[in-house]
Amino acid sequence: MKSFASDNTSRVHPKIMESIVNANNYDAKSYGYDEYTQRAVEKFKKLFGDDIDVYFVYNGTAANILGLSAITNTYNSIICSEWAHINTDECGAPEKNIGCKIISLPSGDGKIKVEDINKHLFAIGVEHHSQPKVISITQSTELGTVYTKEEIIEISEFAHKNNMYVHMDGARIANAACHLKLDVREFTKDAGVDVLSFGGTKNGMMFGEAVVFFNKNLSEGFKYRRKQFMQLHSKMRYISAQFEALLTDDLYLKNARHANEMAKYLEERLKEIPIVRITQKVEANAIFASLPREIIDKLLEKYYFYIWNEEKNEVRWMTSFDTKREDIDEFVDDLNKIVKNVFK
């Protein structure tokens, strides 16, 4: 059966798999000095302009932690949403590997606002407190919502006014671009973001993420930092070739657009079941919903997905590039049958 647990559970896109196979046809220079890496970097420069630096790493946690490490000192703090991946799902990696304090802000929709960030800037210049240095935002958020370009500009202007940087966790950045109907540059580089984790794994790749610096001064010494963090892939071409394929003919947008469309279709089908209450706006490829626990348990016997909030009986259902309408129809039909059997 189709999994609705995460876009991490989906297959590798056939074109991505083909790119890996093609990269395996002959020898290539190691550690990123190969032609695949050079071409992939050029693809990123077409997206964001020539005045950027791009570094490939294995996974999203590494992309986030490495990017953050480049713009902080151990006495700094990083401000983010309480739902941010760096706060909830990276096993204390920022604290352990960077030494920074995480300041998480309450958020009902996964997004943070300037007025809430401002409350934590009283510590600036006071030696007894961690010094706020980075505002980290997730696009799209862990709750499936999307920051508007205007919201990102407001956060960036506030950050820079206060001698801070903006980091964006873009694990699902393509899904955000499709929802906003904007080029990725418009709500990242042009909106004032300093460092971006550009996601690949959740959008059809086998493995690999990219750290993109829009301010090249911030990437000074980053190649050594990447090596120290054990993220310099000797056979770099197997990451780079995937990104080259992902960024060719807008495959990254096609994948994300389909995933978003499937989430909206799932939302529409779920409206047929009054007992299911959707709890967040469906703006990317995630559905958050609450329903009786006995229904959840029965559904889990056949489908793999996560219970997001045990207290609220809230679940998360994710769609991906390879989710089909018939997968959703079967899922909703099964859910309907369970509801009727439980409440007959």
Side-chain angles (χ1 to χ4, degrees), residues 12-32:
V12 176
H13 190 281
K15 289 185 178 180
I16 301 294
M17 189 66 80
E18 182 181 2
S19 74
I20 297 173
V21 173
N22 290 340
N24 200 48
N25 285 336
Y26 49 86
D27 289 359
K29 292 181 180 179
S30 55
Y31 300 110

Side-chain angles (χ1 to χ4, degrees), residues 266-267 269-279 287-292 295 299 315 317 331-332 335-336 339:
L266 177 55
E267 178 187 26
R269 287 297 319 269
L270 290 170
K271 290 178 181 178
E272 302 170 10
I273 311 175
I275 205 168
V276 176
R277 184 175 67 87
I278 296 173
T279 57
I287 297 274
F288 289 82
S290 63
L291 60 164
I295 304 296
L299 196 59
V315 300
W317 294 316
F331 177 77
V332 175
L335 175 56
N336 246 321
V339 170

Side-chain angles (χ1 to χ4, degrees), residues 206-259:
M206 180 181 288
F207 60 90
E209 313 286 306
V211 183
V212 185
F213 291 91
F214 299 125
N215 179 347
K216 294 178 72 171
N217 292 330
L218 298 178
S219 63
E220 183 179 355
F222 190 81
K223 64 179 181 179
Y224 309 112
R225 193 181 298 272
R226 178 174 61 174
K227 178 66 175 182
Q228 283 190 333
F229 273 72
M230 299 167 283
Q231 287 291 318
L232 179 60
H233 192 9
S234 60
K235 296 184 178 181
M236 185 70 74
R237 68 187 187 273
Y238 294 106
I239 296 177
S240 307
Q242 294 180 72
F243 269 118
E244 182 185 8
L246 189 68
L247 299 181
T248 296
D249 297 329
D250 289 338
L251 179 61
Y252 76 111
L253 293 176
K254 293 173 184 175
N255 286 352
R257 187 176 298 113
H258 178 81

Side-chain angles (χ1 to χ4, degrees), residues 278-294:
I278 296 173
T279 57
Q280 294 289 342
K281 293 180 180 178
V282 181
E283 295 181 336
N285 62 323
I287 297 274
F288 289 82
S290 63
L291 60 164
R293 183 54 189 257
E294 56 265 46

Side-chain angles (χ1 to χ4, degrees), residues 81-106:
S81 163
E82 63 180 323
W83 299 106
H85 211 265
I86 59 171
N87 184 54
T88 61
D89 291 297
E90 292 182 346
C91 198
E95 294 91 337
K96 179 182 185 300
N97 293 290
I98 309 175
C100 285
K101 180 179 180 63
I102 295 288
I103 298 175
S104 60
L105 306 183

Side-chain angles (χ1 to χ4, degrees), residues 8-243:
N8 281 327
T9 65
S10 66
R11 299 175 300 129
V12 176
H13 190 281
K15 289 185 178 180
I16 301 294
M17 189 66 80
E18 182 181 2
S19 74
I20 297 173
V21 173
N22 290 340
N24 200 48
N25 285 336
Y26 49 86
D27 289 359
K29 292 181 180 179
S30 55
Y31 300 110
Y33 293 99
D34 58 276
E35 61 185 89
Y36 300 95
T37 300
Q38 304 313 309
R39 291 200 300 263
V41 168
E42 287 304 312
K43 291 285 186 181
F44 273 96
K45 288 184 176 181
K46 285 184 179 179
L47 280 184
F48 297 115
D50 290 335
D51 54 335
I52 64 169
D53 278 339
V54 185
Y55 296 86
F56 300 126
V57 297
Y58 282 108
N59 56 43
T61 298
N64 284 337
I65 303 314
L66 275 167
L68 289 167
S69 74
I71 54 178
T72 55
N73 286 303
T74 55
Y75 54 80
N76 288 136
S77 60
I78 299 165
I79 299 174
C80 62
S81 163
E82 63 180 323
W83 299 106
H85 211 265
I86 59 171
N87 184 54
T88 61
D89 291 297
E90 292 182 346
C91 198
E95 294 91 337
K96 179 182 185 300
N97 293 290
I98 309 175
C100 285
K101 180 179 180 63
I102 295 288
I103 298 175
S104 60
L105 306 183
S107 174
D109 61 359
K111 298 196 283 186
I112 54 177
K113 299 177 176 62
V114 164
E115 54 264 35
D116 297 320
I117 300 167
N118 189 49
K119 298 173 185 176
H120 294 272
L121 300 195
F122 68 91
I124 292 179
V126 180
E127 63 196 43
H128 302 290
H129 302 289
S130 297
Q131 297 296 291
K133 193 61 181 178
V134 177
I135 301 169
S136 181
I137 59 176
T138 310
Q139 182 76 319
S140 57
T141 74
E142 288 80 0
L143 297 185
T145 54
V146 175
Y147 284 93
T148 65
K149 179 179 72 172
E150 292 72 23
E151 288 172 328
I152 296 170
I153 290 173
E154 182 182 12
I155 289 172
S156 297
E157 289 179 346
F158 176 82
H160 298 153
K161 179 182 177 182
N162 288 281
N163 194 31
M164 300 174 72
Y165 297 117
V166 176
H167 164 262
M168 178 180 284
D169 179 347
R172 297 184 176 96
I173 192 169
N175 301 91
C178 291
H179 173 75
L180 295 172
K181 296 181 173 60
L182 295 173
D183 291 336
V184 289
R185 175 172 175 163
E186 294 182 71
F187 62 90
T188 55
K189 183 183 181 183
D190 293 350
V193 172
D194 297 291
V195 182
L196 167 68
S197 298
F198 190 103
T201 309
K202 291 178 170 62
N203 197 25
M205 282 176 49
M206 180 181 288
F207 60 90
E209 313 286 306
V211 183
V212 185
F213 291 91
F214 299 125
N215 179 347
K216 294 178 72 171
N217 292 330
L218 298 178
S219 63
E220 183 179 355
F222 190 81
K223 64 179 181 179
Y224 309 112
R225 193 181 298 272
R226 178 174 61 174
K227 178 66 175 182
Q228 283 190 333
F229 273 72
M230 299 167 283
Q231 287 291 318
L232 179 60
H233 192 9
S234 60
K235 296 184 178 181
M236 185 70 74
R237 68 187 187 273
Y238 294 106
I239 296 177
S240 307
Q242 294 180 72
F243 269 118

